[in-house]
Amino acid sequence: MSLQITQLLLSAQSADGRVRSAAEENLKQFQEQNLPHFLLSLSVELADDLKPPESRRLAGIILKNSLDAKDALRKADLTQQWVNVDASLKVQIKESLLLTLRSPVSEASQTASQVIAKVASIEIPRREWQDLIGRLLTNMTQPDTPATLRQATLETLGYVCEEISPQDLEQQEVNAVLTAVVQGMSGVQESYKVRLAAVRSLYNALDFAQTNFENEMERNYIMKIVCETAVSKESEIRQAAFECLVSIASMYYEILGPYMEALFSLTANAVKGDEESVALQAVEFWSSICDMEIQIQDEYDGDDVRSSDGYHNFIQRALSMLVPMLLETLLKQEEDQDQDDSIWNLSMAGGTCLGLVAKTVCDEILPLVMPFVEGNITKPDWRSREAATFAFGSILEGPSIEQLLPMVHAGLDFLLNAMNDQNSQVKDTTAWTLGRIFEILHSSNCEYQVVTPANLQRIVSVLLEGIRDAPNVAEKVCGAIYFLAQGYEDAESDSSILTPYLGQIISALLWTTDRTDVSNSKLRSSAYETLNEIVRCSQIPETTNMIAQLLSEIMNRLGRNVELQILTSEEKEKQSDLQALLCGVLQVIIQKLCTSDDTKLIFLQAADQLMALFLRVFACQSSTVHEEAMLAIGAFAYATGHEFVKYMPEFYKYLEMGLQNYEEYQVCSISVGVVGDICRAVDDKILPYCDGIMSNLLKNLSNAMLHRSVKAPLFSCFGDIALAIGENFEKYVPYVMPMLQGAAELCANLDDNDEEMLEYGNQLRRGIFEAYSGILQGFKTSKAELMMPFANHLLQFTEAVFRETNRDDAVTKAAVAVIGDLADTLGPSIKLLLKNANFHVHFLGECFSSEDDQLKETALWTQGMIGRVLAS
Amino acid sequence: MADEESTLPSHRRDGIKSSVHNIAAQRRRKHAITLGKERREVLIRTKRMCIEGLANYNEESLETNMLIDEEKAALDTQTSKIVEDLKSALRLQGKVPTERKVDMLRALRHLLSKTEIPPIDAAIRADVIPALVQCLSFGSEDDQLLEAAWCLTNIAAGESEETKSLLPALPLLIAHLGEKSSLPVAEQCAWALGNVAGEGEELRNILLAQGALIPLARLMVSDKGSMAQTAAWALSNLIKGPDSRAATDLIKVAGTLDAIKRHLQMGDNELATEVAWVVVYLTALSEYALHVLAKSEVVPLLIGRLAASDNLQLLIPVLRSLGNLIAGADYVISAVLIVGQDITDRAISALVKCLKSENRALKKHKELVFSSEAASFLLDLLSSAPFDIRKEAAFVLGNLCVSPGDGVRQPEIIVNHLVSLVNNGCLPGFLNLVRSPDVEAARLGLQFLELVMRGMPNGEGPKLVELEDGIDAMERFQFHENEEMRIMANALVDKYFGEDYGLDE
């Protein structure tokens, strides 16, 4: 077997496709026939120094992939598989893995360390393999351990820490791990690779060091070693050390005080003189400090945070030195940068950090940055001009509008002129800064106006010229137009000063979407999204004609698109991306047209044609298109109302496809929402489709593969259907009620410590209540008694939710409403139940003391309903 | 075979200079999904608000407003058109036949009573009040007076500000209550004034100053049932206080007492109900009126009503009047409801009658003293009757236990009444009231608990209350939105269950 598996592993990497797939097939068979033995063979292969490195490498990878997967369900399966393997075989495999760490072939030992971590992630939380840490530490404490083994051991410790959580280790073990790691970092005689492995392990182990960081002596020692490591002679080690400091900044913010001076000079030196990879981490250290201080400020929410114990004011205290250091970084632009969003270099990191500093200290940043802006913005060197503009754009969020406004007024004209700069990067940053000004300071309702009737014309003409510039500049201009339009969103009058320019702007945006000199799709997406914002924020009726024209243009474009005969898969993808964008525009237009009866006519005239287009798009089968087209259908259904029934026979097929698309859960989720939209549009005319829809919804609820975020909308959807079809919902009761009760039970058993689970729990609770509310209200007039058997359970569940400390406002509202629905629907027959479950008195009391008027209103209604029952 | 190589973590945040399309698309999709959720809420709220029998909720049902916006706009236009027509007709004094004006007024009156949200504001904006005042001028034909008063009645039924807009019309409305007016006109004017008086103290004082009381009191004497009923209703609105003078003045108006007695004796349920409310306010507010009524035959008449009727609307003011009378005047307990007297038996059988309507088995123990006899029935009422009756019974029972106070000192407790009631098991009933969301009922309950804890012999009151879970019931008020209740409950808990409680044992 051993020979055979070596050959299979080699063949599986063959250049010859047939040989490769045959070998892969054989390996798969082996795996399926006898998994424990298969795993053992792989571990033996990996451990054997006589085997070729290629086969050992693949053995390690397969082994690792047999223990862990990204998909949570698959991962759970794999874990169970491993747990089921015979204990003695598992011991053999683990021994063989530990042995591999000693291999002089670094590829093998590194792979083994990762596999060990995966096994540890399964076993250590189950209190198995308890001697792993001890045995690894022995490698470090025994004299004469070869450097390769010390390196592999440290790497293994790091990976293990990454895989498990702090409560899985005893403090004693943590102490020993930290000691070994810190010794590995500081040992003078240690090789470069051992020290690098040590500092990287420390990064993963920091999370375990809570207790050690609470102890001043240990903390001083760890900090001293990390700081020393941050000036090692090897840049990779320095970078890793700074990564540790970044992590420490957010994990142990509160104890950083005594070290800040040293950390400042350490980071300042790195930013000034070190390699970019190190300098980036040094800047990131300060960004993390900003994150922490902003977060604490948010928690204080307006109270004087500066006087609080937990707030150390690090940024403000370092401000006079920190800001000049960051401004320096802005001058280190790359030539021809910013063709790509994902660009990340020192000047970008510096500008980002500067923005965070502005958010942290507000007005205080201005006197430190404005001289730099003024001093550099007219210099002949483009780097100076770009850096000055970038600095200005970065600090606009944070300082008060009163402080900023004079500066923006003084600088706006200059910026508009700078859109003619000969350097493309300067124009790019200028357009972005204009966008930031509009985003942050421009609102038609604001007392202070940045954009006035006097300067609007000039602004628009500069932007419309700029949109014809290089693609990267044009994209930033789109952003500026987007936020310019957004400023008129809440205009109080029914006329906006932007309206006269909208015609030109829309043409320019449409022209931009057609540009062929663009290598990627970002500009096109930006132009379409800007178009959407313009439609959304426009004033009806004065823009009615324009929107009507745009509707027919977009419909034409979509019509041409679905007609395309497709040749390559690349073109197919392009076609489908464009469909998504066009459906997005249609959704926004439909939404807008439905805000008034006059404009709704325009939509209704186009409705049949629109639906025909959407059906063509659905027929193209692409997940992203489904998503956008489904959203458009939601708006469409609301707009057509009862008339939507005539589209159902043809549309239903695609609705069903959407509901069944559990792999692409967003599509599924939106489709579930569309069922609700249709219910509200057509009422009981949805009845003929309900059996099909309900069976899909129920199937989805019991599908473990469906993303859990869809579950709550599924429950709400039951409520929508019940509300629409009233007494006809009776036949679904035997299926739906157990689901609701099961979900209610699940809510009680969710992990309270997990933020995501809390959020999920709240969504689920709300969904369950919405389902009950819809069903109760749906049955009210004729089938109320059907709900009698569930009243007690519902009250108990509501009481449990009432006592739940983590419930959010939406859940509260849904819960208090459902008690009212219960009283409203079941009336005197639940008098006794309500009398016994008098938690509602406290619950209502809580609601009445809320600030939320809608909640108070609902509570008042519920109180009325309860009162009626109790007085009956 | 693919490798899921784990790469070293590297800090990398989103740059500040990002392009717009990502966040924009996300925002747009989120917005679209939110819209669906909002529409769901609107729909279900509409369904919830679409219920009858919860009158105080009408102003809250915002959604119905939305749905009938269009209809409302049409009504508004129609209304202002008619008001304009009416005004121009009035300008051409005499040249337009009365019938024409009456037609316009009738149309306006119909509009003003139309739908849940009548176009009152539109009418007022169109300056309808001066026109209507002009229509009320002396010497106008009855039809015109009637319709104009009716329009004003509908306007007065509106929002507070709308009611106040009637100010210029009040003198004429009061004038038309007089003897020279035809009954339908007088009745309509009384109705309008009743609406105005119901609005609040400020308008009540204006009406009293303008002399509305005496003509209304005279109208209550009327033999025409609906006239007397409307007048009684308007009067009870007018004397609601808080000032007690109007009540005292009313009972002094010649014929009032007789009218009350006559209507209580012979009036139909509706009339008796309104008159009983007048008695409620008279006995609640005016010491003088209380004594006059206590010594009249009103008590037996009320008991007679109690015996004869099972109409909830009527029983409420009757029970409350009796409660006021028993609480306020020693005379009633000491001289009217004496053990062995016929009237006492009738009182008991009246209460029995109340119980009969609840179909409960009855036990008659005629030889028992009134307090415990009536009390036991009242106790039954307290534990089982409809909520409103229960409240009234509690009120009577509570008053049975105290001698009328002078408003300065705490009322003195009649210990044997209290003991007898408590021994008959009234505490749970009162505690139920304490737990009720109805503030008034809860107050009655708390007041009774106070009596028990203060008045039961040997200080066993607090223990009894505790045994019935009374502490819990009172602690619920710790965060009650009604400040008075909160303070009352907290003070009781502090006083009787504070730090020292239970130390003696």
Side-chain angles (χ1 to χ4, degrees):
Chain A
M1 191 68 217
S2 132
L3 246 181
Q4 196 191 343
I5 199 163
T6 308
Q7 193 48 53
L8 283 177
L9 289 167
L10 292 174
S11 303
Q13 302 172 73
S14 159
D16 184 335
R18 272 183 313 175
V19 176
R20 203 170 55 233
S21 53
E24 284 176 353
E25 189 51 40
N26 275 330
L27 283 169
K28 211 173 136 196
Q29 266 179 23
F30 185 10
Q31 183 171 22
E32 281 164 6
Q33 276 161 13
N34 190 344
L35 180 80
H37 194 64
F38 177 67
L39 296 178
L40 180 63
S41 308
L42 291 173
S43 69
V44 170
E45 181 80 14
L46 179 62
D48 190 344
D49 279 335
L50 300 172
K51 298 288 184 181
E54 295 79 15
S55 69
R56 297 175 72 183
R57 189 178 149 270
L58 187 55
I61 291 168
I62 299 176
L63 206 46
K64 198 171 62 156
N65 292 345
S66 308
L67 294 162
D68 190 18
K70 287 211 171 96
D71 180 75
L73 282 163
R74 168 124 183 90
K75 184 175 173 154
D77 281 350
L78 293 174
T79 302
Q80 202 48 50
Q81 268 181 18
W82 173 257
V83 171
N84 292 342
V85 170
D86 178 74
S88 64
L89 272 176
K90 280 193 282 196
V91 171
Q92 285 184 51
I93 294 171
K94 288 186 283 188
E95 286 306 321
S96 152
L97 288 170
L98 285 170
L99 186 68
T100 316
L101 291 182
R102 298 177 175 271
S103 166
V105 183
S106 67
E107 239 186 331
S109 61
Q110 275 170 12
T111 314
S113 64
Q114 290 175 20
V115 179
I116 289 171
K118 296 296 177 195
V119 176
S121 81
I122 297 173
E123 297 204 336
I124 290 188
R126 305 168 62 94
R127 300 278 164 239
E128 292 163 6
W129 212 3
Q130 291 295 290
D131 63 344
L132 170 65
I133 300 290
R135 293 190 53 185
L136 289 171
L137 289 171
T138 315
N139 288 346
M140 298 306 292
T141 47
Q142 267 177 355
D144 308 326
T145 312
T148 50
L149 177 56
R150 297 173 73 81
Q151 179 195 343
T153 302
L154 284 167
E155 281 169 0
T156 312
L157 283 170
Y159 290 138
V160 170
C161 287
E162 195 182 359
E163 291 288 342
I164 63 178
S165 44
Q167 66 263 26
D168 293 331
L169 289 191
E170 299 294 331
Q171 185 57 40
Q172 238 178 320
E173 289 176 301
V174 173
N175 294 345
V177 169
L178 284 173
T179 309
V181 166
V182 172
Q183 274 171 3
M185 283 167 74
S186 55
V188 249
Q189 76 286 11
E190 296 286 10
S191 74
Y192 154 65
K193 285 190 170 171
V194 171
R195 282 182 290 124
L196 181 60
V199 67
R200 285 182 176 167
S201 308
L202 178 66
Y203 179 87
N204 288 325
L206 281 171
D207 206 16
F208 292 68
Q210 197 77 45
T211 312
N212 311 82
F213 266 87
E214 280 160 18
N215 175 316
E216 192 187 346
M217 219 172 64
E218 292 182 42
R219 177 172 75 222
N220 283 342
Y221 183 64
I222 298 173
M223 290 302 289
K224 175 173 164 279
I225 299 295
V226 178
C227 290
E228 280 170 14
T229 314
V231 292
S232 307
K233 57 184 188 300
E234 300 90 346
S235 71
E236 260 189 293
I237 293 183
R238 293 199 300 275
Q239 182 190 340
F242 272 107
E243 281 172 2
C244 288
L245 287 174
V246 169
S247 201
I248 289 170
S250 47
M251 265 182 230
Y252 301 109
Y253 168 85
E254 62 280 3
I255 53 86
L256 282 181
Y259 314 105
M260 280 315 270
E261 236 180 274
L263 289 171
F264 182 82
S265 49
L266 204 57
T267 49
N269 287 336
V271 170
K272 273 195 197 92
D274 212 323
E275 290 174 26
E276 185 167 59
S277 62
V278 183
L280 280 175
Q281 292 306 320
V283 172
E284 183 61 28
F285 172 82
W286 289 101
S287 292
S288 294
I289 298 281
C290 288
D291 286 344
M292 289 305 295
E293 299 202 336
I294 292 168
Q295 191 190 325
I296 299 171
Q297 288 180 23
D298 286 348
E299 282 162 13
Y300 272 76
D301 194 27
D303 294 345
D304 189 14
V305 70
R306 304 235 155 125
S307 59
S308 86
D309 285 348
Y311 191 80
H312 295 307
N313 243 338
F314 292 139
I315 296 298
Q316 196 219 14
R317 278 152 57 187
L319 203 59
S320 61
M321 303 203 306
L322 178 61
V323 171
M325 170 184 105
L326 293 172
L327 291 172
E328 275 305 299
T329 65
L330 303 189
L331 291 159
K332 297 183 178 169
Q333 305 97 328
E334 288 167 39
E335 204 75 51
D336 297 325
Q337 76 176 25
D338 207 30
Q339 301 306 321
D340 184 2
D341 242 12
S342 60
I343 194 92
W344 192 243
N345 54 39
L346 193 54
S347 67
M348 209 49 78
T352 305
C353 187
L354 195 62
L356 291 168
V357 172
K359 269 181 161 172
T360 312
V361 301
C362 305
D363 286 351
E364 286 175 67
I365 192 138
L366 293 171
L368 292 164
V369 171
M370 289 315 287
F372 176 85
V373 175
E374 285 150 13
N376 284 287
I377 202 146
T378 50
K379 281 195 179 159
D381 170 25
W382 73 263
R383 288 172 192 279
S384 304
R385 298 198 301 278
E386 198 275 341
T389 316
F390 192 22
F392 187 58
S394 298
I395 57 161
L396 289 170
E397 195 179 356
S400 62
I401 195 160
E402 291 82 0
Q403 291 280 322
L404 282 175
L405 214 69
M407 300 173 188
V408 169
H409 271 307
L412 187 60
D413 204 50
F414 191 94
L415 288 170
L416 291 171
N417 282 329
M419 285 302 289
N420 289 319
D421 200 287
Q422 69 261 42
N423 179 282
S424 167
Q425 285 192 51
V426 174
K427 286 190 280 190
D428 182 300
T429 303
T430 304
W432 170 77
T433 301
L434 286 169
R436 290 268 291 177
I437 290 174
F438 299 146
E439 178 184 4
I440 297 161
L441 297 167
H442 158 58
S443 157
S444 64
N445 292 333
C446 189
E447 190 183 340
Y448 311 97
Q449 296 285 335
V450 175
V451 181
T452 63
N455 64 15
L456 180 60
Q457 184 177 9
R458 172 144 159 74
I459 290 172
V460 171
S461 71
V462 167
L463 292 177
L464 291 186
E465 204 173 313
I467 206 170
R468 289 168 192 274
D469 210 311
N472 59 317
V473 178
E475 206 198 322
K476 300 296 187 298
V477 170
C478 284
I481 297 175
Y482 180 96
F483 290 115
L484 180 66
Q486 202 175 77
Y488 297 99
E489 179 181 4
D490 302 315
E492 273 149 9
S493 71
D494 37 6
S495 175
S496 140
I497 57 167
L498 189 63
T499 304
Y501 304 100
L502 287 186
Q504 303 167 54
I505 294 175
I506 290 174
S507 318
L509 288 168
L510 286 172
W511 177 85
T512 305
T513 62
D514 288 336
R515 274 173 79 152
T516 50
D517 59 339
V518 192
S519 56
N520 62 35
S521 60
K522 273 193 317 172
L523 177 56
R524 200 168 61 174
S525 310
S526 294
Y528 274 120
E529 292 299 348
T530 303
L531 203 55
N532 291 336
E533 196 66 357
I534 283 181
V535 172
R536 195 178 69 82
C537 300
S538 69
Q539 310 296 314
I540 271 189
E542 67 176 9
T543 55
T544 306
N545 288 338
M546 226 173 318
I547 294 175
Q549 274 176 33
L550 184 61
L551 173 65
S552 85
E553 169 65 24
I554 300 294
M555 285 171 70
N556 285 338
R557 286 181 176 216
L558 189 55
R560 287 200 298 275
N561 173 293
V562 293
E563 292 295 336
L564 281 179
Q565 296 300 311
I566 302 313
L567 299 168
T568 67
S569 65
E570 193 189 337
E571 280 171 335
K572 171 110 185 149
E573 201 187 315
K574 263 190 168 174
Q575 178 206 28
S576 134
D577 286 349
L578 184 56
Q579 283 175 2
L581 292 168
L582 293 168
C583 285
V585 184
L586 290 174
Q587 176 237 318
V588 174
I589 292 180
I590 295 172
Q591 212 75 265
K592 189 74 194 180
L593 289 175
C594 288
T595 50
S596 100
D597 283 341
D598 295 338
T599 49
K600 194 169 170 175
L601 276 178
I602 301 170
F603 159 74
L604 290 175
Q605 281 159 8
D608 286 352
Q609 222 185 326
L610 268 169
M611 182 50 90
L613 280 170
F614 290 138
L615 292 172
R616 294 285 301 271
V617 171
F618 282 119
C620 286
Q621 284 192 346
S622 152
S623 67
T624 49
V625 167
H626 267 293
E627 210 176 317
E628 292 287 2
M630 269 298 170
L631 280 177
I633 295 279
F636 188 102
Y638 174 74
T640 43
H642 266 100
E643 289 295 301
F644 191 79
V645 128
K646 73 171 179 186
Y647 305 111
M648 275 307 275
E650 277 191 274
F651 170 66
Y652 179 70
K653 172 169 74 171
Y654 300 112
L655 180 64
E656 200 158 53
M657 275 166 57
L659 292 175
Q660 287 164 353
N661 193 350
Y662 64 87
E663 290 107 336
E664 286 153 314
Y665 68 92
Q666 277 109 340
V667 175
C668 185
S669 181
I670 291 170
S671 305
V672 172
V674 166
V675 172
D677 291 326
I678 297 173
C679 283
R680 286 182 283 278
V682 306
D683 283 333
D684 58 355
K685 302 247 174 32
I686 200 169
L687 196 56
Y689 304 94
C690 276
D691 284 352
I693 292 171
M694 283 300 293
S695 80
N696 276 306
L697 297 181
L698 289 165
K699 230 180 275 169
N700 277 336
L701 270 180
S702 24
N703 183 350
M705 308 286 273
L706 179 62
H707 194 273
R708 62 168 188 242
S709 69
V710 191
K711 305 265 160 152
L714 283 167
F715 285 122
S716 308
C717 192
F718 288 148
D720 295 335
I721 294 175
L723 217 46
I725 64 174
E727 59 179 18
N728 294 303
F729 198 78
E730 179 175 0
K731 63 172 161 177
Y732 307 121
V733 166
Y735 305 96
V736 169
M737 299 318 286
M739 293 274 190
L740 288 174
Q741 294 180 335
E745 241 161 72
L746 177 74
C747 287
N749 297 322
L750 290 175
D751 180 4
D752 285 3
N753 299 314
D754 185 336
E755 288 267 330
E756 266 180 52
M757 285 320 244
L758 281 182
E759 168 74 24
Y760 172 57
N762 275 326
Q763 284 170 357
L764 210 53
R765 290 181 182 101
R766 185 178 173 186
I768 295 168
F769 286 134
E770 282 175 345
Y772 274 114
S773 286
I775 299 170
L776 283 164
Q777 289 294 338
F779 282 161
K780 184 165 75 178
T781 40
S782 55
K783 295 270 180 182
E785 72 284 356
L786 285 176
M787 290 305 284
M788 198 56 212
F790 309 103
N792 196 28
H793 179 271
L794 176 54
L795 274 176
Q796 283 169 0
F797 175 54
T798 314
E799 178 163 8
V801 171
F802 163 61
R803 306 207 183 280
E804 171 64 50
T805 44
N806 294 308
R807 100 187 106 89
D808 65 21
D809 290 354
V811 173
T812 304
K813 204 179 294 178
V816 79
V818 92
I819 309 177
D821 292 323
L822 196 64
D824 186 14
T825 298
L826 294 176
S829 40
I830 56 158
K831 185 171 171 179
L832 208 66
L833 279 179
L834 275 178
K835 265 188 181 167
N836 292 334
N838 49 28
F839 73 94
H840 56 77
V841 180
H842 302 266
F843 196 9
L844 288 171
E846 183 198 305
C847 297
F848 288 132
S849 60
S850 152
E851 304 274 296
D852 183 340
D853 286 338
Q854 256 195 39
L855 176 58
K856 278 197 274 196
E857 187 200 87
T858 308
L860 196 65
W861 174 79
T862 294
Q863 190 183 43
M865 291 296 116
I866 294 176
R868 219 169 55 156
V869 169
L870 291 180
S872 61
Chain B
M1 286 195 174
D3 177 18
E4 293 184 21
E5 194 67 53
S6 64
T7 47
L8 264 181
S10 181
H11 280 287
R12 169 77 163 77
R13 59 178 67 229
D14 291 334
I16 194 171
K17 203 176 159 188
S18 62
S19 86
V20 74
H21 72 277
N22 279 331
I23 56 148
Q26 269 174 29
R27 268 194 54 194
R28 175 173 56 74
R29 283 193 281 255
K30 216 173 144 193
H31 180 69
I33 293 168
T34 314
L35 275 176
K37 288 187 184 162
E38 281 170 8
R39 284 173 189 149
R40 168 186 299 138
E41 269 182 35
V42 167
L43 178 70
I44 187 121
R45 279 176 70 205
T46 317
K47 295 244 169 184
R48 285 182 184 135
M49 302 315 162
C50 273
I51 46 112
E52 68 295 317
L54 203 67
N56 64 349
Y57 217 79
N58 285 342
E59 70 250 30
E60 310 281 346
S61 51
L62 306 169
E63 259 48 63
T64 50
N65 295 1
M66 236 170 62
L67 299 175
I68 59 165
D69 259 354
E70 255 186 83
E71 194 191 339
K72 167 115 177 75
L75 279 179
D76 283 355
T77 330
Q78 225 179 323
T79 306
S80 34
K81 168 100 178 31
I82 292 185
V83 174
E84 288 311 320
D85 289 352
L86 178 66
K87 285 198 293 197
S88 53
L90 289 169
R91 270 196 296 276
L92 303 167
Q93 246 175 3
K95 288 175 194 161
V96 179
T98 304
E99 296 92 298
R100 181 89 189 82
K101 283 187 273 178
V102 171
D103 284 346
M104 288 180 199
L105 285 167
R106 190 174 291 129
L108 182 61
R109 180 248 294 178
H110 278 303
L111 276 174
L112 290 174
S113 58
K114 211 161 186 164
T115 75
E116 280 173 22
I117 312 145
I120 297 175
D121 51 342
I124 292 174
R125 262 183 279 127
D127 238 356
V128 74
I129 301 288
L132 292 174
V133 171
Q134 204 178 333
C135 291
L136 284 179
S137 56
F138 289 112
S140 304
E141 289 187 34
D142 271 355
D143 279 355
Q144 182 179 319
L145 290 171
L146 179 71
E147 290 297 350
W150 203 334
C151 287
L152 287 165
T153 307
N154 290 346
I155 293 172
E159 303 287 319
S160 173
E161 282 308 308
E162 293 163 353
T163 312
K164 281 186 190 149
S165 74
L166 255 71
L167 260 166
L170 299 183
L172 278 168
L173 286 171
I174 294 170
H176 285 294
L177 296 174
E179 287 128 319
K180 285 175 191 157
S181 301
S182 72
L183 271 185
V185 171
E187 192 181 333
Q188 195 58 54
C189 290
W191 196 349
L193 292 169
N195 274 343
V196 174
E199 171 52 37
E201 194 189 350
E202 190 193 342
L203 285 172
R204 273 201 284 285
N205 288 338
I206 292 172
L207 287 173
L208 289 169
Q210 294 185 355
L213 184 77
I214 292 174
L216 282 173
R218 288 199 184 121
L219 287 173
M220 189 169 68
V221 179
S222 169
D223 280 323
K224 190 185 169 216
S226 70
M227 180 68 251
Q229 187 189 332
T230 307
W233 168 76
L235 278 171
S236 60
N237 273 349
L238 191 62
I239 64 167
K240 257 182 197 165
D243 192 352
S244 64
R245 214 163 348 153
T248 308
D249 289 347
L250 176 59
I251 200 70
K252 286 180 178 166
V253 175
T256 299
L257 183 61
D258 282 337
I260 289 172
K261 288 192 287 191
R262 183 156 44 89
H263 294 319
L264 282 180
Q265 191 165 18
M266 325 216 303
D268 59 18
N269 273 347
E270 281 79 8
L271 175 54
T273 302
E274 293 309 336
V275 171
W277 278 112
V278 173
V279 176
V280 168
Y281 290 117
L282 286 173
T283 51
L285 286 160
S286 164
E287 198 76 4
Y288 177 80
L290 179 77
H291 287 288
V292 171
L293 289 166
K295 294 191 175 165
S296 71
E297 299 98 284
V298 165
V299 174
L301 286 170
L302 286 168
I303 291 172
R305 276 290 172 178
L306 200 57
S309 173
D310 52 10
N311 179 311
L312 186 63
Q313 299 303 324
L314 175 57
L315 290 183
I316 291 173
V318 167
L319 276 167
R320 193 174 291 189
S321 295
L322 281 173
N324 283 343
L325 284 160
I326 293 170
D330 289 326
Y331 179 80
V332 178
I333 295 183
S334 58
V336 184
L337 298 173
I338 306 167
V339 182
Q341 294 257 344
D342 179 47
I343 171 76
T344 311
D345 288 343
R346 282 186 57 206
I348 294 165
S349 35
L351 290 164
V352 168
K353 168 77 179 33
C354 289
L355 295 174
K356 258 185 191 151
S357 67
E358 289 294 300
N359 296 323
R360 287 180 55 93
L362 300 171
K363 295 179 212 156
K364 278 196 176 183
H365 304 288
K366 282 189 186 171
E367 55 288 338
L368 283 182
V369 292
F370 166 75
S371 57
S372 62
E373 173 66 305
S376 80
F377 293 116
L378 283 165
L379 283 171
D380 281 336
L381 284 178
L382 182 66
S383 63
S384 62
F387 182 71
D388 297 72
I389 296 278
R390 227 158 63 213
K391 225 162 82 179
E392 300 305 328
F395 180 61
V396 179
L397 279 171
N399 284 336
L400 275 173
C401 296
V402 290
S403 61
D406 55 9
V408 181
R409 286 170 296 128
Q410 268 186 317
E412 220 167 285
I413 298 173
I414 304 174
V415 176
N416 57 344
H417 281 192
L418 181 65
V419 172
S420 143
L421 286 182
V422 172
N423 290 345
N424 277 305
C426 73
L427 258 182
F430 277 102
L431 276 162
N432 266 336
L433 290 182
V434 174
R435 292 197 186 93
S436 134
D438 181 296
V439 173
E440 211 183 323
R443 182 182 295 119
L444 283 172
L446 277 180
Q447 282 167 345
F448 190 80
L449 291 191
E450 193 272 334
L451 291 180
V452 171
M453 293 191 283
R454 178 156 59 93
M456 285 300 280
N458 308 322
E460 65 174 344
K463 246 176 282 171
L464 290 169
V465 170
E466 190 188 12
L467 278 176
E468 296 291 343
D469 280 338
I471 303 182
D472 169 69
M474 286 188 282
E475 279 177 343
R476 275 157 210 247
F477 288 94
Q478 223 162 352
F479 304 105
H480 200 271
E481 82 265 37
N482 183 314
E483 198 187 354
E484 184 201 337
M485 302 294 292
R486 198 168 61 229
I487 293 172
M488 188 155 116
N490 287 346
L492 284 180
V493 173
D494 284 350
K495 181 164 178 193
Y496 293 103
F497 302 102
E499 285 173 13
D500 299 337
Y501 179 65
L503 285 184
D504 308 341
E505 290 158 90

